[in-house]
Amino acid sequence: MKALQSKKLLIIITVVLLCAAVIVVIMAKKNSNETLTITDVDSGKEYAALTLPANREFSITFIHSVNKSPVTDVYIAKDDEIYLDRTLYYGFGAGVPTTISEGQHFAYGEMIISGYDMYIPDLIYVVGTVSDHVLAIGEDEISLRDLCGRNAKVRLAVR
């Protein structure tokens, strides 16, 4: 009888420990930093693999080719996918948003359209030849022109 109770207790302890281990693995995956990779679309060459901060946010700033003012697209990485979160710009003109959709918000001054939460299945930029594209992760800024070269066609992805 005592041997049977000991076996039951051992089974219960084993099940509890396995459940705890599974929870730890799931939480570690959920809380782990994601990596932003920058690769050449044509050759597949990896230019960089950068750790994203806890908020998983990064942005690309460039000078708009038509209205010649800065535009910043802010992205958030969620479960190895990239979502456009908001766009900041400083002047109206061809190629920048002038209307918003339901659920989005517009602020004047530094003009911000937020509330996109738009899944971007393939984030590709062609690095500027006249002006740069600058990647910002937290306080760090990286010139994509310096990193990849002018006119490089680059893919940003998370893993």
Side-chain angles (χ1 to χ4, degrees):
M1 184 77 156
K2 228 176 187 180
L4 184 59
Q5 286 177 340
S6 292
K7 279 187 179 182
K8 284 182 180 179
L9 182 61
L10 183 58
I11 290 171
I12 291 170
I13 290 171
T14 302
V15 168
V16 168
L17 288 174
L18 283 172
C19 288
V22 167
I23 290 170
V24 166
V25 168
I26 289 170
M27 293 306 291
K29 170 77 173 144
K30 186 173 185 167
N31 293 326
S32 66
N33 287 334
E34 291 182 282
T35 301
L36 178 69
T37 60
I38 304 169
T39 57
D40 186 276
V41 170
D42 298 322
S43 71
K45 173 185 175 183
E46 184 173 280
Y47 292 110
L50 307 162
T51 301
L52 292 175
N55 68 1
R56 293 171 167 76
E57 187 174 284
F58 66 95
S59 66
I60 302 284
T61 300
F62 56 94
I63 301 299
H64 194 277
S65 62
V66 176
N67 72 15
K68 307 297 184 202
S69 66
V71 174
T72 300
D73 290 323
V74 181
Y75 301 95
I76 296 178
K78 300 179 192 177
D79 299 322
D80 294 342
E81 296 177 339
I82 296 175
Y83 289 80
L84 175 62
D85 183 63
R86 63 193 178 277
T87 297
L88 299 77
Y89 56 101
Y90 301 88
F92 287 114
V96 295
T98 57
T99 61
I100 62 173
S101 300
E102 185 176 331
Q104 294 179 337
H105 307 281
F106 182 82
Y108 288 95
E110 172 185 63
M111 293 174 267
I112 303 169
I113 295 180
S114 60
Y116 282 105
D117 196 33
M118 180 190 306
Y119 171 59
I120 308 294
D122 202 18
L123 181 57
I124 295 175
Y125 278 93
V126 177
V127 179
T129 54
V130 175
S131 63
D132 201 355
H133 283 77
V134 177
L135 168 67
I137 300 176
E139 298 296 316
D140 297 328
E141 291 187 349
I142 299 164
S143 161
L144 291 184
R145 193 171 13 181
D146 290 348
L147 180 66
C148 311
R150 293 174 190 256
N151 213 32
K153 189 174 179 182
V154 297
R155 174 177 288 114
L156 288 84
V158 291
R159 60 172 193 239

